[in-house]
Amino acid sequence: MLKLPYGISNFHTVRNEGYYYIDRTACLPVLESSGKQLVFLRPRRFGKSLFLSMLAYYYDIHQAEQFKGLFGNLAIGSQPSAEHNQYLILRWDFSKVSGQGTITEIKHSLFSHLNISIEGFAAKYQAELKKPIVINSEDAIASFQSLCSALSFGERKLYLLIDEYDNFANEVLIHQNDGQQRYKDLLAGEGIVKTLFKVIKASAAEGAIARVFITGVSPVVLADMTSGYNVATSIYLNEEFNQLCGITEVELSQLVQQVAQESCTEQTDYQALLTTMREYYNGYRFCYDLNYPTIYNPTLCFYFLQYYQRRCQAPFEMLDGNLAMDAGRIRYMAKLPAGAQVIEQILDDENPVTVKHLATQFGVEQLNELRTNPDYIASLMYFFGVLTIVDIQGLNKLVLKAPNLVTKALYVEEFKRHLFPESRERQRLQSLVEDFYQSGELEPLADYLEQTTLSTLSNRDYQWSNELTIKMAFLTPLFDDSYYIIDSEATVRRRYSDLVMIIRPSLRETLPTLRDLVLEFKYLKLSEVGMSGTQVRESSREALLQLPAVQTQLQAALEQLEDYQTTLVQRYQQPERLVCLAVVAVGFERVVWQRL
């Protein structure tokens, strides 16, 4: 069985214990020529820590004897750069710093981590140090200054690696009730984080630090360190580093084929596995050049394939629980004044989010604008990995969309919490939805939505009412990527339908009661049927179905559904499982439908 490095971020462990490794060492000479102090941003769980670990083993003077074993058969092995195994390595991991408690408690957590790292450094490189390092238990910045001073007496210089540089500061901003003020205390003026990076900048200028490589998720904290640390080169949007972390389509195809061949006694359709993974895990682009391919989230891919190796089937829950915390970040942004507007737009496939450019200068001074400016919120969502670049339109505007189904599901879940805040109501709704999945009978669900979602829309909502409003009312409860591949244009020959729900390939046999579902929505204003809201509410669905305007919209929807029906029946050869529904909303009062 192939050993997949799920959750493993130690390069030595991966290489020495036979784990599958996706070689990224060819980029090392390019990195060296890109600058002495680099900043590389990627979403959580994208392999940044493993990459940083690889850098540590490549440049550490104490790992020179292991170079052949660790790197010999990798891309860099035959022609290593002159800097390999030339530095003393100091590594900080700010994900280990707590963002909870008072500023004093956060500072103590940061200083403890720094001092522990510096103590380990002093013990490891004792032979190379001509001067002892003094550890100041009350001031880890002073300890770091002592380390840099000690290095100035020797020949070897420092390579400083900082992992998740923004982790604890982001936690303060997002998860604390008084997050904005506490965030300012950390970073504004002479805040402790800013002071630390001032010392890094000065030590690099003095020659004690030769190189710095920083990873993180967003540029928010970096913007607030600019005056203290304005010497770093940002490489996170450079085309040559688009796939530095992540898995390409070609790489995943080879991996999936190998796993499928080694895991199951019966012949496996590895192309079907790859198709499923593409829908759920692909779609990330980290540069502006659309000629560069999208890439896969590696943690999610290893999660999926590790499960498949054990069970010879895809996992039921496609979102790895270790990434579920991203929902908290979406929840934070949804609660911002402009957040709900952005999330609703993300779920509108026909009118995606567009921004002139990705905002990178957030900063303390822009926190209020971050809360109210949709472009800032969309940019932050990009850095968090819940939006990605899919196109460039008009006057070079970037088009941003959810990269795949697992991230889209996070948005839908948050929107569901907004529409149905009570847990009991969500449970009732889930029961109705699961009945619809199996029966294709819309009436119980439609009755419920008329009494809840649609009835809460006020008169002023009629000013911008359209098909999207109705689609959202149905999409939100129906979206469930545990059972379905949803809104997949490729499913129907790239012809767009309002809501396409195709049973996941792995469940077509194991859950025979599930139905494939296609819904086409139409919307009629009250003026178009010549009735008031009260008259519509008091009318039976049978009476509404006879209205000429309703009949016209139903026929238009049914004609659109015919092509989708033909395509899906040909593809899956299961016409008895396919339900195609034309749904017409009459204002926000009632919905009627007809099955094809």
Side-chain angles (χ1 to χ4, degrees):
M1 182 178 292
L2 198 63
K3 296 180 70 174
L4 299 172
Y6 173 75
I8 299 176
S9 57
N10 185 288
F11 179 73
H12 188 274
T13 299
V14 170
R15 296 293 290 156
N16 280 356
E17 296 185 14
Y19 284 92
Y20 189 86
Y21 180 67
I22 298 173
D23 188 1
R24 291 290 181 265
T25 60
C27 74
L28 292 174
V30 184
L31 278 177
E32 291 180 3
S33 64
S34 296
K36 296 291 187 181
Q37 301 182 59
L38 303 177
V39 177
F40 180 68
L41 305 178
R42 284 295 182 268
R44 291 181 60 256
R45 308 287 287 181
F46 240 90
K48 300 187 297 294
S49 296
L50 177 58
F51 183 78
L52 217 64
S53 178
M54 183 270 286
L55 293 181
Y57 280 95
Y58 181 77
Y59 289 106
D60 191 346
I61 62 169
H62 280 196
Q63 301 299 327
E65 293 182 359
Q66 296 194 59
F67 180 84
K68 185 176 181 180
L70 293 174
F71 294 95
N73 64 346
L74 299 180
I76 198 69
S78 58
Q79 290 185 311
S81 64
E83 295 185 41
H84 81 92
N85 303 121
Q86 295 298 306
Y87 296 112
L88 311 183
I89 303 297
L90 177 63
R91 184 173 177 181
W92 294 335
D93 181 358
F94 284 2
S95 69
K96 296 179 180 179
V97 178
S98 172
Q100 303 297 314
T102 65
I103 291 297
T104 300
E105 290 169 331
I106 295 171
K107 178 181 175 180
H108 177 74
S109 178
L110 173 63
F111 279 3
S112 293
H113 175 66
L114 297 182
N115 274 334
I116 290 171
S117 300
I118 293 169
E119 286 174 351
F121 177 92
K124 180 178 181 180
Y125 297 112
Q126 186 174 9
E128 285 78 22
L129 298 174
K130 306 301 182 183
K131 178 184 175 182
I133 297 173
V134 178
I135 304 297
N136 187 325
S137 60
E138 300 298 323
D139 186 356
I141 294 179
S143 304
F144 179 59
Q145 289 175 311
S146 176
L147 182 154
C148 292
S149 175
L151 290 177
S152 65
F153 288 85
E155 297 180 358
R156 298 293 184 181
K157 302 304 178 185
L158 181 70
Y159 198 140
L160 177 60
L161 301 172
I162 305 177
D163 202 5
E164 304 290 355
Y165 88 100
D166 57 337
N167 183 272
F168 72 93
N170 282 339
E171 292 300 305
V172 170
L173 178 63
I174 291 175
H175 293 297
Q176 303 258 1
N177 293 331
D178 55 348
Q180 286 197 59
Q181 183 56 51
R182 299 157 70 79
Y183 180 82
K184 290 178 181 179
D185 292 341
L186 276 174
L187 287 150
E190 295 304 313
I192 191 63
V193 176
K194 196 170 186 177
T195 301
L196 174 62
F197 277 86
K198 277 186 177 181
V199 174
I200 295 171
K201 174 184 174 181
S203 299
E206 293 164 0
I209 301 177
R211 287 189 176 275
V212 181
F213 193 91
I214 301 171
T215 77
V217 172
S218 85
V220 175
V221 178
L222 192 66
D224 285 318
M225 299 187 317
T226 298
S227 60
Y229 190 66
N230 55 359
V231 293
T233 301
S234 298
I235 61 170
Y236 49 84
L237 285 172
N238 291 16
E239 293 87 350
E240 61 267 33
F241 303 125
N242 179 59
Q243 63 189 56
L244 188 58
C245 290
I247 304 179
T248 66
E249 176 86 14
V250 172
E251 291 166 339
L252 185 64
S253 178
Q254 296 170 347
L255 176 57
V256 169
Q257 188 170 5
Q258 185 175 350
V259 168
Q261 290 174 345
E262 295 180 4
S263 300
C264 303
T265 54
E266 299 179 1
Q267 186 173 2
T268 303
D269 184 357
Y270 79 92
Q271 285 294 344
L273 285 179
L274 187 61
T275 298
T276 299
M277 297 182 74
R278 185 182 300 121
E279 294 285 354
Y280 285 90
Y281 303 147
N282 191 18
Y284 300 93
R285 180 179 285 109
F286 298 112
C287 65
Y288 293 137
D289 191 336
L290 301 180
N291 292 315
Y292 282 77
T294 56
I295 61 175
Y296 290 76
N297 180 301
T299 298
L300 288 172
C301 289
F302 293 143
Y303 158 77
F304 179 101
L305 292 174
Q306 186 170 271
Y307 186 97
Y308 186 85
Q309 285 186 131
R310 295 196 307 268
R311 308 283 184 87
C312 208
Q313 64 182 27
F316 181 67
E317 296 291 344
M318 296 297 288
L319 177 62
D320 176 10
N322 287 322
L323 277 89
M325 67 177 293
D326 288 339
R329 297 173 186 256
I330 292 178
R331 192 164 301 128
Y332 161 76
M333 289 180 281
K335 291 178 180 178
L336 299 177
Q341 170 191 338
V342 175
I343 288 182
E344 184 170 354
Q345 191 174 357
I346 289 167
L347 296 176
D348 180 5
D349 292 319
E350 297 182 81
N351 299 288
V353 175
T354 61
V355 296
K356 187 175 181 179
H357 55 78
L358 291 172
T360 58
Q361 297 300 312
F362 296 96
V364 167
E365 300 304 321
Q366 288 78 35
L367 282 180
N368 287 333
E369 190 166 2
L370 171 61
R371 294 169 57 82
T372 58
N373 187 326
D375 286 1
Y376 272 49
I377 295 174
S379 297
L380 190 56
M381 287 180 169
Y382 162 82
F383 287 108
F384 283 163
V386 290
L387 282 181
T388 200
I389 302 168
V390 297
D391 201 1
I392 298 177
Q393 294 179 352
L395 299 176
N396 287 330
K397 284 197 170 185
L398 299 175
V399 180
L400 305 178
K401 285 188 175 182
N404 46 49
L405 283 179
V406 290
T407 54
K408 194 168 186 178
L410 295 175
Y411 292 114
V412 173
E413 186 59 32
E414 182 53 39
F415 206 72
K416 188 184 297 183
R417 287 177 177 271
H418 173 71
L419 291 177
F420 305 96
E422 296 294 330
S423 176
R424 184 178 300 177
E425 285 299 304
R426 291 197 299 273
Q427 292 175 5
R428 167 64 177 152
L429 179 63
Q430 184 62 27
S431 177
L432 292 170
V433 164
E434 291 179 359
D435 288 343
F436 175 63
Y437 290 162
Q438 299 174 84
S439 68
E441 297 297 332
L442 191 59
E443 186 169 11
L445 178 61
D447 288 342
Y448 182 82
L449 294 179
E450 285 180 352
Q451 297 163 15
T452 55
T453 307
L454 298 181
S455 67
T456 61
L457 297 173
S458 65
N459 289 334
R460 66 179 182 175
D461 291 315
Y462 279 108
Q463 297 175 17
W464 54 79
S465 58
N466 51 35
E467 289 177 16
L468 173 63
T469 310
I470 301 304
K471 176 183 173 180
M472 288 298 299
F474 280 86
L475 169 65
T476 302
L478 287 176
F479 192 106
D480 192 328
D481 63 352
S482 298
Y483 299 108
Y484 290 100
I485 293 177
I486 302 173
D487 275 348
S488 172
E489 296 183 26
T491 302
V492 284
R493 297 176 182 170
R494 300 195 181 278
R495 293 285 304 280
Y496 183 81
S497 182
D498 286 335
L499 184 54
V500 179
M501 304 176 61
I502 301 303
I503 302 165
R504 280 175 47 185
S506 60
L507 302 180
R508 296 199 76 86
E509 292 185 10
T510 58
L511 293 177
T513 59
L514 281 180
R515 304 294 190 97
D516 293 309
L517 302 164
V518 183
L519 285 77
E520 191 71 26
F521 297 100
K522 299 294 180 184
Y523 175 78
L524 284 169
K525 296 181 180 180
L526 295 177
S527 59
E528 293 178 284
V529 295
M531 300 172 68
S532 68
T534 300
Q535 289 174 320
V536 172
R537 284 192 298 272
E538 293 176 351
S539 299
S540 66
R541 288 202 176 99
E542 290 73 16
L544 293 174
L545 279 168
Q546 302 308 312
L547 296 175
V550 172
Q551 282 292 313
T552 298
Q553 292 290 355
L554 279 174
Q555 288 306 311
L558 289 169
E559 289 174 8
Q560 290 174 269
L561 288 170
E562 285 181 355
D563 185 48
Y564 307 135
Q565 182 188 55
T566 301
T567 301
L568 295 173
V569 168
Q570 289 175 347
R571 174 165 298 184
Y572 298 107
Q573 299 295 308
Q574 292 183 313
E576 73 284 356
R577 298 183 75 169
L578 178 61
V579 175
C580 296
L581 293 169
V583 181
V584 177
V586 184
F588 292 144
E589 316 304 324
R590 303 294 302 278
V591 291
V592 295
W593 60 91
Q594 184 172 330
R595 182 168 173 170
L596 183 65

